[in-house]
Amino acid sequence: PFEDIIEGRQIAEGTEEGHVRFLGTTIRDEKVDVALGSIRLMSANGKEENVHIFGQNNYDEMTGLYNKQAIHRYAERVFAQQPDHPVHLVIFDLDNFKNVNDTYGHLAGDEALRTVGGIIRDALGSNGVAGRFGGDEIMMVIEKADTLMALRAILRSIRTNVEHAYHNTGKFYEITCSIGVATLGVAGNTFEEVFNVADKMLYGAKMKGKNRYIITPFIFAFILASKNKCENK
């Protein structure tokens, strides 16, 4: 058994970002160590509050990302707070994914989704969260990209690594992705408004030849953020 205190984002209903305590045990077999346990929310004074079990009901088994309900809930909560820093909603889609499933079978498609899930987790790091929104569509909320260069670095890493994952590997197919990005305060002020614009940006990326990302005008996000900071002082 083990116990540790970590700090990070929480997806369970009714919680906020803060300190949590992880209680659990490690089960060992010949191939892998599996940690099982629960996460308990800690208040500012260190007292234990409500208990939330973070099980498979919050995660997508195929990609290892959050599932549709969890990422949707998280995005709505962030947008409702109307933060004064740029928040970007990203819609990701694998190009010609249906052809991979139809031609090479669902096992090939499942393998691609697992690979892509790992690529997205590595590229995002602590800068945002991601969840599988359905099929091969993934939604991301990026909050810690305060410059256009930082945002592009994340998107470029995802696009490039997805493209290279199956390039010259001996597979009979190659996989690429298209990405649409919209920013809170630029594309709209609600989750629905920003999602619709991000979806249009994704459609534009598909129409322009796929294997690319398209971002809504970015500079206005910083004008808005600066204005909000001044007003809140």
Side-chain angles (χ1 to χ4, degrees), residues 37-39 52-61 65-67:
S38 65
I39 291 181
H52 300 280
I53 304 298
F54 287 73
Q56 293 300 315
N57 58 333
N58 278 318
Y59 291 90
D60 174 64
E61 294 182 0
L65 305 175
Y66 293 121
N67 61 25

Side-chain angles (χ1 to χ4, degrees), residues 53-107:
I53 304 298
F54 287 73
Q56 293 300 315
N57 58 333
N58 278 318
Y59 291 90
D60 174 64
E61 294 182 0
M62 190 65 63
T63 62
L65 305 175
Y66 293 121
N67 61 25
K68 180 177 181 178
Q69 291 74 24
I71 189 62
H72 187 276
R73 188 164 61 239
Y74 177 83
E76 286 192 322
R77 183 177 302 157
V78 170
F79 280 40
Q81 293 171 351
Q82 293 291 304
D84 60 4
H85 59 267
V87 178
H88 313 290
L89 189 68
V90 180
I91 307 297
F92 167 104
D93 188 82
L94 283 175
D95 300 324
N96 304 316
F97 182 70
K98 185 177 184 300
N99 291 340
V100 174
N101 274 332
D102 291 347
T103 305
Y104 303 103
H106 287 279
L107 289 180

